[in-house]
Amino acid sequence: MIIEVARLGQRLVRDDRVTTHAALVSRAFGARRIYMSEASTDISDTLRGVNRTWGGDFEVVLEEDLKGIIRRRKADLFWTVHLTMYGEALDAALSRMARLEKMLVVIGAGKVPREIYDMADYNVAVGSQPHSEIAALAVFLDRVQGGRQFGVTPAGAARRIIPSERGKHVVDGESQGS
Ligand code: SAM
């Protein structure tokens, strides 16, 4: 499954930490790219550094015309999944998503225009209570991939973590560990 994320809208007060977390969660949970209008170039640099250390080629794309991105991705046969507390229940939506090969997951940073609800192929609620775009994104990406994203080691990692019950066990990317 090819997954991209678009983060729409801007917070009233720019918060680079939250924006960085949206990008980090997208990368760690198996998306290949995030489009956002709010991000500073520092966020792209941070994610490039994370790729250098932990592998993969995740991209942060700074883009003002996010509706244009949705239109272009639809033309490329990506299904648009907009996460909103007003949407249909997650379990009901997931049961119709098993065969989707390409997906653009849309989250809001601030108020999302009504038009996006109509452009989306799916409006999906991760519970029908307000919480956070990052929490909604993490839960959705995990559920739609059935946890398989955590079994993938990104290519070209300089360092790799060997899961352990206690302490930190980190090896060079090429090493098999012990
Ligand atoms: N009015 C909101 C809504 O439509 O979900 C909550 C705004 S919240 C500050 C920002 C973003 O978090 C929303 O645009 C949505 O992407 C995500 N979000 C928050 N709660 C959610 C939920 N229960 N299910 C899915 N997405 C949610």
Side-chain angles (χ1 to χ4, degrees), residues 6-8 11 82-88 90 105-112 117 123-137 140:
R7 184 162 178 263
L8 293 188
R11 292 180 172 267
H82 169 222
L83 301 183
T84 166
M85 66 182 189
Y86 302 107
E88 69 172 310
L90 178 60
V105 183
V106 177
I107 54 175
K111 191 170 166 46
V112 172
Y117 290 74
N123 290 289
V124 178
V126 180
S128 297
Q129 300 292 325
H131 46 83
S132 131
E133 70 263 35
I134 297 170
L137 180 66
F140 176 76

PDB file of all heavy atoms in Angstrom, residues 6-8 11 82-88 90 105-112 117 123-137 140, ligand 1:
ATOM      1  N   ALA A   6      -1.613  14.505   3.796  1.00  0.00           N
ATOM      2  CA  ALA A   6      -1.684  15.959   3.581  1.00  0.00           C
ATOM      3  C   ALA A   6      -2.233  16.590   4.856  1.00  0.00           C
ATOM      4  O   ALA A   6      -3.245  16.136   5.390  1.00  0.00           O
ATOM      5  CB  ALA A   6      -2.586  16.287   2.398  1.00  0.00           C
ATOM      6  N   ARG A   7      -1.548  17.600   5.340  1.00  0.00           N
ATOM      7  CA  ARG A   7      -2.015  18.300   6.545  1.00  0.00           C
ATOM      8  C   ARG A   7      -2.531  19.663   6.115  1.00  0.00           C
ATOM      9  O   ARG A   7      -1.778  20.505   5.635  1.00  0.00           O
ATOM     10  CB  ARG A   7      -0.862  18.450   7.537  1.00  0.00           C
ATOM     11  CG  ARG A   7      -1.268  19.071   8.860  1.00  0.00           C
ATOM     12  CD  ARG A   7      -0.198  18.755   9.871  1.00  0.00           C
ATOM     13  NE  ARG A   7      -0.435  19.335  11.166  1.00  0.00           N
ATOM     14  CZ  ARG A   7       0.103  20.485  11.572  1.00  0.00           C
ATOM     15  NH1 ARG A   7       0.873  21.190  10.785  1.00  0.00           N
ATOM     16  NH2 ARG A   7      -0.129  20.923  12.790  1.00  0.00           N
ATOM     17  N   LEU A   8      -3.840  19.852   6.280  1.00  0.00           N
ATOM     18  CA  LEU A   8      -4.500  21.052   5.769  1.00  0.00           C
ATOM     19  C   LEU A   8      -4.635  22.118   6.836  1.00  0.00           C
ATOM     20  O   LEU A   8      -4.872  21.806   8.000  1.00  0.00           O
ATOM     21  CB  LEU A   8      -5.934  20.734   5.334  1.00  0.00           C
ATOM     22  CG  LEU A   8      -6.169  19.825   4.153  1.00  0.00           C
ATOM     23  CD1 LEU A   8      -7.645  19.849   3.816  1.00  0.00           C
ATOM     24  CD2 LEU A   8      -5.372  20.280   2.958  1.00  0.00           C
ATOM     25  N   ARG A  11      -2.504  26.374  12.065  1.00  0.00           N
ATOM     26  CA  ARG A  11      -2.908  26.692  13.434  1.00  0.00           C
ATOM     27  C   ARG A  11      -2.900  28.209  13.614  1.00  0.00           C
ATOM     28  O   ARG A  11      -2.186  28.912  12.902  1.00  0.00           O
ATOM     29  CB  ARG A  11      -1.922  26.057  14.408  1.00  0.00           C
ATOM     30  CG  ARG A  11      -2.042  24.567  14.380  1.00  0.00           C
ATOM     31  CD  ARG A  11      -1.088  23.884  15.313  1.00  0.00           C
ATOM     32  NE  ARG A  11      -1.462  22.476  15.309  1.00  0.00           N
ATOM     33  CZ  ARG A  11      -2.292  21.934  16.183  1.00  0.00           C
ATOM     34  NH1 ARG A  11      -2.786  22.642  17.162  1.00  0.00           N
ATOM     35  NH2 ARG A  11      -2.622  20.669  16.092  1.00  0.00           N
ATOM     36  N   HIS A  82     -10.195  11.361   4.515  1.00  0.00           N
ATOM     37  CA  HIS A  82     -10.126  12.535   5.396  1.00  0.00           C
ATOM     38  C   HIS A  82     -10.494  12.107   6.808  1.00  0.00           C
ATOM     39  O   HIS A  82     -11.569  11.544   7.033  1.00  0.00           O
ATOM     40  CB  HIS A  82     -11.110  13.601   4.862  1.00  0.00           C
ATOM     41  CG  HIS A  82     -11.337  14.731   5.793  1.00  0.00           C
ATOM     42  ND1 HIS A  82     -12.575  15.280   6.014  1.00  0.00           N
ATOM     43  CD2 HIS A  82     -10.474  15.432   6.583  1.00  0.00           C
ATOM     44  CE1 HIS A  82     -12.468  16.262   6.886  1.00  0.00           C
ATOM     45  NE2 HIS A  82     -11.214  16.379   7.244  1.00  0.00           N
ATOM     46  N   LEU A  83      -9.599  12.356   7.763  1.00  0.00           N
ATOM     47  CA  LEU A  83      -9.870  11.993   9.159  1.00  0.00           C
ATOM     48  C   LEU A  83     -10.577  13.147   9.857  1.00  0.00           C
ATOM     49  O   LEU A  83     -10.066  14.268   9.912  1.00  0.00           O
ATOM     50  CB  LEU A  83      -8.559  11.651   9.875  1.00  0.00           C
ATOM     51  CG  LEU A  83      -7.760  10.486   9.267  1.00  0.00           C
ATOM     52  CD1 LEU A  83      -6.516  10.209  10.122  1.00  0.00           C
ATOM     53  CD2 LEU A  83      -8.603   9.231   9.122  1.00  0.00           C
ATOM     54  N   THR A  84     -11.761  12.866  10.366  1.00  0.00           N
ATOM     55  CA  THR A  84     -12.556  13.866  11.079  1.00  0.00           C
ATOM     56  C   THR A  84     -13.466  13.178  12.082  1.00  0.00           C
ATOM     57  O   THR A  84     -13.993  12.084  11.793  1.00  0.00           O
ATOM     58  CB  THR A  84     -13.421  14.701  10.115  1.00  0.00           C
ATOM     59  OG1 THR A  84     -14.399  15.423  10.879  1.00  0.00           O
ATOM     60  CG2 THR A  84     -14.146  13.855   9.074  1.00  0.00           C
ATOM     61  N   MET A  85     -13.668  13.809  13.229  1.00  0.00           N
ATOM     62  CA  MET A  85     -14.535  13.196  14.245  1.00  0.00           C
ATOM     63  C   MET A  85     -15.982  13.075  13.771  1.00  0.00           C
ATOM     64  O   MET A  85     -16.769  12.354  14.348  1.00  0.00           O
ATOM     65  CB  MET A  85     -14.487  13.992  15.541  1.00  0.00           C
ATOM     66  CG  MET A  85     -15.052  15.377  15.461  1.00  0.00           C
ATOM     67  SD  MET A  85     -14.857  16.158  17.076  1.00  0.00           S
ATOM     68  CE  MET A  85     -15.815  17.630  16.868  1.00  0.00           C
ATOM     69  N   TYR A  86     -16.333  13.780  12.684  1.00  0.00           N
ATOM     70  CA  TYR A  86     -17.711  13.726  12.177  1.00  0.00           C
ATOM     71  C   TYR A  86     -17.905  12.590  11.177  1.00  0.00           C
ATOM     72  O   TYR A  86     -19.008  12.374  10.682  1.00  0.00           O
ATOM     73  CB  TYR A  86     -18.080  15.051  11.487  1.00  0.00           C
ATOM     74  CG  TYR A  86     -17.949  16.246  12.392  1.00  0.00           C
ATOM     75  CD1 TYR A  86     -16.895  17.151  12.234  1.00  0.00           C
ATOM     76  CD2 TYR A  86     -18.852  16.461  13.417  1.00  0.00           C
ATOM     77  CE1 TYR A  86     -16.763  18.241  13.078  1.00  0.00           C
ATOM     78  CE2 TYR A  86     -18.731  17.549  14.269  1.00  0.00           C
ATOM     79  CZ  TYR A  86     -17.677  18.434  14.091  1.00  0.00           C
ATOM     80  OH  TYR A  86     -17.553  19.515  14.932  1.00  0.00           O
ATOM     81  N   GLY A  87     -16.850  11.871  10.847  1.00  0.00           N
ATOM     82  CA  GLY A  87     -16.918  10.877   9.778  1.00  0.00           C
ATOM     83  C   GLY A  87     -17.564   9.572  10.201  1.00  0.00           C
ATOM     84  O   GLY A  87     -18.061   9.423  11.320  1.00  0.00           O
ATOM     85  N   GLU A  88     -17.537   8.598   9.273  1.00  0.00           N
ATOM     86  CA  GLU A  88     -18.090   7.271   9.595  1.00  0.00           C
ATOM     87  C   GLU A  88     -17.121   6.542  10.520  1.00  0.00           C
ATOM     88  O   GLU A  88     -15.917   6.848  10.571  1.00  0.00           O
ATOM     89  CB  GLU A  88     -18.349   6.462   8.322  1.00  0.00           C
ATOM     90  CG  GLU A  88     -17.116   6.026   7.574  1.00  0.00           C
ATOM     91  CD  GLU A  88     -17.439   5.068   6.428  1.00  0.00           C
ATOM     92  OE1 GLU A  88     -18.164   4.074   6.651  1.00  0.00           O
ATOM     93  OE2 GLU A  88     -16.925   5.292   5.329  1.00  0.00           O
ATOM     94  N   LEU A  90     -14.531   4.162  12.251  1.00  0.00           N
ATOM     95  CA  LEU A  90     -13.306   3.578  11.704  1.00  0.00           C
ATOM     96  C   LEU A  90     -13.495   2.128  11.266  1.00  0.00           C
ATOM     97  O   LEU A  90     -13.111   1.751  10.152  1.00  0.00           O
ATOM     98  CB  LEU A  90     -12.209   3.682  12.779  1.00  0.00           C
ATOM     99  CG  LEU A  90     -10.849   3.098  12.462  1.00  0.00           C
ATOM    100  CD1 LEU A  90     -10.231   3.773  11.238  1.00  0.00           C
ATOM    101  CD2 LEU A  90      -9.913   3.260  13.659  1.00  0.00           C
ATOM    102  N   VAL A 105      -4.034  10.400   2.925  1.00  0.00           N
ATOM    103  CA  VAL A 105      -4.729  10.605   4.200  1.00  0.00           C
ATOM    104  C   VAL A 105      -4.672  12.091   4.535  1.00  0.00           C
ATOM    105  O   VAL A 105      -3.583  12.668   4.618  1.00  0.00           O
ATOM    106  CB  VAL A 105      -4.072   9.774   5.331  1.00  0.00           C
ATOM    107  CG1 VAL A 105      -4.849   9.956   6.630  1.00  0.00           C
ATOM    108  CG2 VAL A 105      -4.009   8.301   4.942  1.00  0.00           C
ATOM    109  N   VAL A 106      -5.845  12.709   4.698  1.00  0.00           N
ATOM    110  CA  VAL A 106      -5.911  14.153   4.941  1.00  0.00           C
ATOM    111  C   VAL A 106      -6.254  14.391   6.411  1.00  0.00           C
ATOM    112  O   VAL A 106      -7.238  13.837   6.927  1.00  0.00           O
ATOM    113  CB  VAL A 106      -6.991  14.796   4.039  1.00  0.00           C
ATOM    114  CG1 VAL A 106      -7.114  16.289   4.331  1.00  0.00           C
ATOM    115  CG2 VAL A 106      -6.662  14.550   2.569  1.00  0.00           C
ATOM    116  N   ILE A 107      -5.440  15.213   7.067  1.00  0.00           N
ATOM    117  CA  ILE A 107      -5.724  15.609   8.448  1.00  0.00           C
ATOM    118  C   ILE A 107      -5.798  17.130   8.499  1.00  0.00           C
ATOM    119  O   ILE A 107      -5.256  17.817   7.634  1.00  0.00           O
ATOM    120  CB  ILE A 107      -4.647  15.090   9.435  1.00  0.00           C
ATOM    121  CG1 ILE A 107      -3.240  15.514   8.981  1.00  0.00           C
ATOM    122  CG2 ILE A 107      -4.741  13.578   9.603  1.00  0.00           C
ATOM    123  CD1 ILE A 107      -2.143  15.151   9.964  1.00  0.00           C
ATOM    124  N   GLY A 108      -6.470  17.656   9.521  1.00  0.00           N
ATOM    125  CA  GLY A 108      -6.588  19.114   9.646  1.00  0.00           C
ATOM    126  C   GLY A 108      -5.679  19.625  10.747  1.00  0.00           C
ATOM    127  O   GLY A 108      -5.495  18.971  11.772  1.00  0.00           O
ATOM    128  N   ALA A 109      -5.111  20.811  10.501  1.00  0.00           N
ATOM    129  CA  ALA A 109      -4.363  21.482  11.568  1.00  0.00           C
ATOM    130  C   ALA A 109      -5.293  22.480  12.247  1.00  0.00           C
ATOM    131  O   ALA A 109      -5.315  22.605  13.461  1.00  0.00           O
ATOM    132  CB  ALA A 109      -3.151  22.192  11.002  1.00  0.00           C
ATOM    133  N   GLY A 110      -6.102  23.153  11.456  1.00  0.00           N
ATOM    134  CA  GLY A 110      -7.133  24.069  11.962  1.00  0.00           C
ATOM    135  C   GLY A 110      -8.456  23.642  11.363  1.00  0.00           C
ATOM    136  O   GLY A 110      -8.656  22.458  11.097  1.00  0.00           O
ATOM    137  N   LYS A 111      -9.354  24.611  11.138  1.00  0.00           N
ATOM    138  CA  LYS A 111     -10.673  24.270  10.586  1.00  0.00           C
ATOM    139  C   LYS A 111     -10.507  23.798   9.135  1.00  0.00           C
ATOM    140  O   LYS A 111      -9.823  24.427   8.330  1.00  0.00           O
ATOM    141  CB  LYS A 111     -11.567  25.507  10.646  1.00  0.00           C
ATOM    142  CG  LYS A 111     -13.016  25.195  10.343  1.00  0.00           C
ATOM    143  CD  LYS A 111     -13.883  26.411  10.654  1.00  0.00           C
ATOM    144  CE  LYS A 111     -15.282  26.308  10.057  1.00  0.00           C
ATOM    145  NZ  LYS A 111     -15.951  25.041  10.247  1.00  0.00           N
ATOM    146  N   VAL A 112     -11.149  22.682   8.829  1.00  0.00           N
ATOM    147  CA  VAL A 112     -11.050  22.113   7.474  1.00  0.00           C
ATOM    148  C   VAL A 112     -12.260  22.589   6.657  1.00  0.00           C
ATOM    149  O   VAL A 112     -13.410  22.453   7.109  1.00  0.00           O
ATOM    150  CB  VAL A 112     -11.017  20.568   7.558  1.00  0.00           C
ATOM    151  CG1 VAL A 112     -11.110  19.942   6.188  1.00  0.00           C
ATOM    152  CG2 VAL A 112      -9.745  20.113   8.275  1.00  0.00           C
ATOM    153  N   TYR A 117     -14.707  17.680   2.737  1.00  0.00           N
ATOM    154  CA  TYR A 117     -15.585  16.549   3.060  1.00  0.00           C
ATOM    155  C   TYR A 117     -16.201  15.973   1.785  1.00  0.00           C
ATOM    156  O   TYR A 117     -16.448  14.770   1.690  1.00  0.00           O
ATOM    157  CB  TYR A 117     -16.716  16.996   4.011  1.00  0.00           C
ATOM    158  CG  TYR A 117     -16.252  17.332   5.409  1.00  0.00           C
ATOM    159  CD1 TYR A 117     -15.557  18.513   5.678  1.00  0.00           C
ATOM    160  CD2 TYR A 117     -16.505  16.470   6.467  1.00  0.00           C
ATOM    161  CE1 TYR A 117     -15.135  18.838   6.966  1.00  0.00           C
ATOM    162  CE2 TYR A 117     -16.089  16.788   7.761  1.00  0.00           C
ATOM    163  CZ  TYR A 117     -15.408  17.973   7.986  1.00  0.00           C
ATOM    164  OH  TYR A 117     -14.986  18.281   9.257  1.00  0.00           O
ATOM    165  N   ASN A 123     -14.721   9.889   4.671  1.00  0.00           N
ATOM    166  CA  ASN A 123     -14.537  10.735   5.861  1.00  0.00           C
ATOM    167  C   ASN A 123     -14.614   9.789   7.054  1.00  0.00           C
ATOM    168  O   ASN A 123     -15.651   9.157   7.279  1.00  0.00           O
ATOM    169  CB  ASN A 123     -15.643  11.792   5.933  1.00  0.00           C
ATOM    170  CG  ASN A 123     -15.482  12.843   4.850  1.00  0.00           C
ATOM    171  OD1 ASN A 123     -14.568  13.662   4.900  1.00  0.00           O
ATOM    172  ND2 ASN A 123     -16.351  12.819   3.836  1.00  0.00           N
ATOM    173  N   VAL A 124     -13.518   9.672   7.780  1.00  0.00           N
ATOM    174  CA  VAL A 124     -13.401   8.606   8.779  1.00  0.00           C
ATOM    175  C   VAL A 124     -13.154   9.190  10.168  1.00  0.00           C
ATOM    176  O   VAL A 124     -12.260  10.037  10.346  1.00  0.00           O
ATOM    177  CB  VAL A 124     -12.236   7.656   8.416  1.00  0.00           C
ATOM    178  CG1 VAL A 124     -12.074   6.569   9.473  1.00  0.00           C
ATOM    179  CG2 VAL A 124     -12.467   7.030   7.050  1.00  0.00           C
ATOM    180  N   ALA A 125     -13.914   8.704  11.153  1.00  0.00           N
ATOM    181  CA  ALA A 125     -13.741   9.133  12.539  1.00  0.00           C
ATOM    182  C   ALA A 125     -12.966   8.077  13.327  1.00  0.00           C
ATOM    183  O   ALA A 125     -13.278   6.892  13.255  1.00  0.00           O
ATOM    184  CB  ALA A 125     -15.104   9.344  13.188  1.00  0.00           C
ATOM    185  N   VAL A 126     -11.966   8.532  14.040  1.00  0.00           N
ATOM    186  CA  VAL A 126     -11.251   7.669  14.983  1.00  0.00           C
ATOM    187  C   VAL A 126     -11.894   7.959  16.343  1.00  0.00           C
ATOM    188  O   VAL A 126     -11.378   8.735  17.142  1.00  0.00           O
ATOM    189  CB  VAL A 126      -9.740   7.968  14.947  1.00  0.00           C
ATOM    190  CG1 VAL A 126      -8.989   7.060  15.929  1.00  0.00           C
ATOM    191  CG2 VAL A 126      -9.187   7.780  13.538  1.00  0.00           C
ATOM    192  N   GLY A 127     -13.066   7.392  16.548  1.00  0.00           N
ATOM    193  CA  GLY A 127     -13.908   7.775  17.688  1.00  0.00           C
ATOM    194  C   GLY A 127     -14.607   9.089  17.351  1.00  0.00           C
ATOM    195  O   GLY A 127     -14.072   9.891  16.565  1.00  0.00           O
ATOM    196  N   SER A 128     -15.764   9.312  17.959  1.00  0.00           N
ATOM    197  CA  SER A 128     -16.527  10.525  17.624  1.00  0.00           C
ATOM    198  C   SER A 128     -16.378  11.596  18.698  1.00  0.00           C
ATOM    199  O   SER A 128     -17.343  12.245  19.103  1.00  0.00           O
ATOM    200  CB  SER A 128     -18.005  10.160  17.415  1.00  0.00           C
ATOM    201  OG  SER A 128     -18.098   9.278  16.320  1.00  0.00           O
ATOM    202  N   GLN A 129     -15.177  11.738  19.186  1.00  0.00           N
ATOM    203  CA  GLN A 129     -14.834  12.800  20.143  1.00  0.00           C
ATOM    204  C   GLN A 129     -13.660  13.579  19.562  1.00  0.00           C
ATOM    205  O   GLN A 129     -12.823  13.007  18.864  1.00  0.00           O
ATOM    206  CB  GLN A 129     -14.391  12.199  21.490  1.00  0.00           C
ATOM    207  CG  GLN A 129     -15.431  11.350  22.175  1.00  0.00           C
ATOM    208  CD  GLN A 129     -16.604  12.181  22.662  1.00  0.00           C
ATOM    209  OE1 GLN A 129     -16.429  13.317  23.088  1.00  0.00           O
ATOM    210  NE2 GLN A 129     -17.807  11.610  22.586  1.00  0.00           N
ATOM    211  N   PRO A 130     -13.582  14.885  19.844  1.00  0.00           N
ATOM    212  CA  PRO A 130     -12.433  15.654  19.339  1.00  0.00           C
ATOM    213  C   PRO A 130     -11.150  15.252  20.056  1.00  0.00           C
ATOM    214  O   PRO A 130     -11.157  15.072  21.269  1.00  0.00           O
ATOM    215  CB  PRO A 130     -12.814  17.105  19.672  1.00  0.00           C
ATOM    216  CG  PRO A 130     -13.775  17.003  20.812  1.00  0.00           C
ATOM    217  CD  PRO A 130     -14.493  15.698  20.669  1.00  0.00           C
ATOM    218  N   HIS A 131     -10.055  15.037  19.322  1.00  0.00           N
ATOM    219  CA  HIS A 131      -8.756  14.863  19.977  1.00  0.00           C
ATOM    220  C   HIS A 131      -7.669  15.539  19.150  1.00  0.00           C
ATOM    221  O   HIS A 131      -7.627  16.774  19.114  1.00  0.00           O
ATOM    222  CB  HIS A 131      -8.480  13.388  20.344  1.00  0.00           C
ATOM    223  CG  HIS A 131      -8.766  12.364  19.310  1.00  0.00           C
ATOM    224  ND1 HIS A 131      -7.881  12.069  18.312  1.00  0.00           N
ATOM    225  CD2 HIS A 131      -9.835  11.537  19.114  1.00  0.00           C
ATOM    226  CE1 HIS A 131      -8.370  11.093  17.559  1.00  0.00           C
ATOM    227  NE2 HIS A 131      -9.579  10.752  18.016  1.00  0.00           N
ATOM    228  N   SER A 132      -6.850  14.797  18.459  1.00  0.00           N
ATOM    229  CA  SER A 132      -5.681  15.407  17.839  1.00  0.00           C
ATOM    230  C   SER A 132      -5.450  14.779  16.477  1.00  0.00           C
ATOM    231  O   SER A 132      -5.658  13.572  16.293  1.00  0.00           O
ATOM    232  CB  SER A 132      -4.478  15.174  18.758  1.00  0.00           C
ATOM    233  OG  SER A 132      -3.379  14.678  18.049  1.00  0.00           O
ATOM    234  N   GLU A 133      -4.975  15.581  15.536  1.00  0.00           N
ATOM    235  CA  GLU A 133      -4.718  15.028  14.192  1.00  0.00           C
ATOM    236  C   GLU A 133      -3.587  13.995  14.227  1.00  0.00           C
ATOM    237  O   GLU A 133      -3.542  13.076  13.416  1.00  0.00           O
ATOM    238  CB  GLU A 133      -4.423  16.138  13.179  1.00  0.00           C
ATOM    239  CG  GLU A 133      -3.102  16.873  13.321  1.00  0.00           C
ATOM    240  CD  GLU A 133      -3.264  18.184  14.087  1.00  0.00           C
ATOM    241  OE1 GLU A 133      -4.099  18.249  15.017  1.00  0.00           O
ATOM    242  OE2 GLU A 133      -2.522  19.126  13.779  1.00  0.00           O
ATOM    243  N   ILE A 134      -2.684  14.151  15.172  1.00  0.00           N
ATOM    244  CA  ILE A 134      -1.551  13.223  15.227  1.00  0.00           C
ATOM    245  C   ILE A 134      -2.000  11.879  15.801  1.00  0.00           C
ATOM    246  O   ILE A 134      -1.640  10.815  15.291  1.00  0.00           O
ATOM    247  CB  ILE A 134      -0.397  13.843  16.040  1.00  0.00           C
ATOM    248  CG1 ILE A 134       0.082  15.097  15.299  1.00  0.00           C
ATOM    249  CG2 ILE A 134       0.748  12.861  16.215  1.00  0.00           C
ATOM    250  CD1 ILE A 134       1.031  15.953  16.073  1.00  0.00           C
ATOM    251  N   ALA A 135      -2.834  11.939  16.847  1.00  0.00           N
ATOM    252  CA  ALA A 135      -3.379  10.692  17.402  1.00  0.00           C
ATOM    253  C   ALA A 135      -4.254   9.993  16.363  1.00  0.00           C
ATOM    254  O   ALA A 135      -4.139   8.769  16.149  1.00  0.00           O
ATOM    255  CB  ALA A 135      -4.198  10.993  18.654  1.00  0.00           C
ATOM    256  N   ALA A 136      -5.114  10.763  15.677  1.00  0.00           N
ATOM    257  CA  ALA A 136      -6.004  10.162  14.672  1.00  0.00           C
ATOM    258  C   ALA A 136      -5.174   9.520  13.561  1.00  0.00           C
ATOM    259  O   ALA A 136      -5.452   8.399  13.116  1.00  0.00           O
ATOM    260  CB  ALA A 136      -6.935  11.231  14.099  1.00  0.00           C
ATOM    261  N   LEU A 137      -4.110  10.219  13.148  1.00  0.00           N
ATOM    262  CA  LEU A 137      -3.255   9.707  12.067  1.00  0.00           C
ATOM    263  C   LEU A 137      -2.571   8.405  12.479  1.00  0.00           C
ATOM    264  O   LEU A 137      -2.559   7.421  11.718  1.00  0.00           O
ATOM    265  CB  LEU A 137      -2.204  10.772  11.714  1.00  0.00           C
ATOM    266  CG  LEU A 137      -1.234  10.421  10.606  1.00  0.00           C
ATOM    267  CD1 LEU A 137      -1.958  10.282   9.265  1.00  0.00           C
ATOM    268  CD2 LEU A 137      -0.137  11.493  10.487  1.00  0.00           C
ATOM    269  N   PHE A 140      -5.116   5.552  12.721  1.00  0.00           N
ATOM    270  CA  PHE A 140      -5.604   5.148  11.401  1.00  0.00           C
ATOM    271  C   PHE A 140      -4.521   4.384  10.628  1.00  0.00           C
ATOM    272  O   PHE A 140      -4.782   3.317  10.055  1.00  0.00           O
ATOM    273  CB  PHE A 140      -6.084   6.365  10.589  1.00  0.00           C
ATOM    274  CG  PHE A 140      -6.495   5.959   9.207  1.00  0.00           C
ATOM    275  CD1 PHE A 140      -7.711   5.317   8.997  1.00  0.00           C
ATOM    276  CD2 PHE A 140      -5.651   6.135   8.122  1.00  0.00           C
ATOM    277  CE1 PHE A 140      -8.082   4.867   7.736  1.00  0.00           C
ATOM    278  CE2 PHE A 140      -6.007   5.710   6.863  1.00  0.00           C
ATOM    279  CZ  PHE A 140      -7.228   5.073   6.673  1.00  0.00           C
TER     280      PHE A 140
HETATM  281  N1  SAM B   1     -13.397  19.670  14.352  1.00  0.00           N
HETATM  282  C1  SAM B   1     -12.495  18.587  14.336  1.00  0.00           C
HETATM  283  C2  SAM B   1     -12.727  17.413  13.373  1.00  0.00           C
HETATM  284  O1  SAM B   1     -13.281  17.634  12.297  1.00  0.00           O
HETATM  285  O2  SAM B   1     -12.279  16.285  13.644  1.00  0.00           O
HETATM  286  C3  SAM B   1     -11.421  18.522  15.400  1.00  0.00           C
HETATM  287  C4  SAM B   1     -10.291  19.477  15.078  1.00  0.00           C
HETATM  288  S1  SAM B   1      -8.757  18.871  15.588  1.00  0.00           S
HETATM  289  C5  SAM B   1      -8.107  20.256  16.420  1.00  0.00           C
HETATM  290  C6  SAM B   1      -7.736  18.858  14.145  1.00  0.00           C
HETATM  291  C7  SAM B   1      -7.795  17.607  13.330  1.00  0.00           C
HETATM  292  O3  SAM B   1      -7.653  16.457  14.146  1.00  0.00           O
HETATM  293  C8  SAM B   1      -9.048  17.359  12.532  1.00  0.00           C
HETATM  294  O4  SAM B   1      -9.092  18.118  11.331  1.00  0.00           O
HETATM  295  C9  SAM B   1      -8.948  15.868  12.243  1.00  0.00           C
HETATM  296  O5  SAM B   1      -8.140  15.583  11.115  1.00  0.00           O
HETATM  297  C10 SAM B   1      -8.256  15.339  13.506  1.00  0.00           C
HETATM  298  N2  SAM B   1      -9.183  14.716  14.471  1.00  0.00           N
HETATM  299  C11 SAM B   1      -9.479  15.160  15.700  1.00  0.00           C
HETATM  300  N3  SAM B   1     -10.335  14.336  16.308  1.00  0.00           N
HETATM  301  C12 SAM B   1     -10.581  13.328  15.442  1.00  0.00           C
HETATM  302  C13 SAM B   1     -11.369  12.146  15.488  1.00  0.00           C
HETATM  303  N4  SAM B   1     -12.100  11.823  16.553  1.00  0.00           N
HETATM  304  N5  SAM B   1     -11.376  11.324  14.408  1.00  0.00           N
HETATM  305  C14 SAM B   1     -10.634  11.625  13.318  1.00  0.00           C
HETATM  306  N6  SAM B   1      -9.872  12.726  13.217  1.00  0.00           N
HETATM  307  C15 SAM B   1      -9.842  13.564  14.255  1.00  0.00           C
END
